[in-house]
Amino acid sequence: MLRGTGPLLLLIAGGDGDAGVSSTLAGHLADRYTVLTYDRRGLSASRISPEAGAPDITTHADDVHHLLAALTSEPAYVCGSSIGALIALEFAGRHPEQVRTLVAHEPPATQLLTEPERERAAAAQSSVEATFAASGALAALREFAVLAGVDPSDREPDVALTPPGPERVPNLEFFLTYDAPAVRRHILDVDALKAARIVPAVGETSGTIFARECAIRLADALGVAYATFPGGHNGSVFRPRAFAACLADVLT
């Protein structure tokens, strides 16, 4: 979905987020950018055939490459959160010429952590997947929210909390079946990322979650400063107005 006018800005949602999840954030940016949101492969309207095989982070990164190539021959701004940030980074490493600036908000790139930290992160990720297998998608979502440090009170006054309904279950099931394990297995080529302008970002209230630490370690590895955004790991959803203002400042 495209909206607004100005330079192209692609938003890549985290978790099981589709184009709709990014719509409020996009609305706060459309006065300055042509904002592109999309349904990631396997989510909502982006259906895949069984013979296509299980997507991984590289598959999603290739999708971003083809999507942007179909729309423009110029480099674009990109902002990804969580798995969306990991996808964006893989894309940037493969196609730096398509990137104007990339903001990677708390990518779960656990390869950047120390071995004990990686082991704890992998155990927590595997626990969510085990909960999904034993108790279903909504139970796994609750555990994932704790892992990500989600604070329902840390939101803007006009952001309504809607309990996940049955319409969300297919996206959650796809994410937990394919994307969550793909995150745990993925290894970035950090050296390749140095060819693109990348701004790692952390949530102001993310606390000590491992994805926040990954962003800080990424900044260290790239020799750049990281940016601090309003809210926590899900700040782009719970604090979209403030997140949009901060993103516009970082991209300027």
Side-chain angles (χ1 to χ4, degrees), residues 52-104:
D56 56 17
I57 301 302
T58 300
T59 309
H60 290 306
D62 286 343
D63 287 345
V64 171
H65 161 61
H66 292 299
L67 178 61
L68 288 177
L71 293 172
T72 181
S73 59
E74 299 295 324
Y77 292 118
V78 181
C79 177
S81 293
S82 195
I83 183 179
L86 194 64
I87 292 167
L89 289 168
E90 179 64 24
F91 156 70
R94 291 170 173 268
H95 303 283
E97 75 285 351
Q98 287 185 282
V99 177
R100 190 166 176 177
T101 299
L102 162 61
V103 174

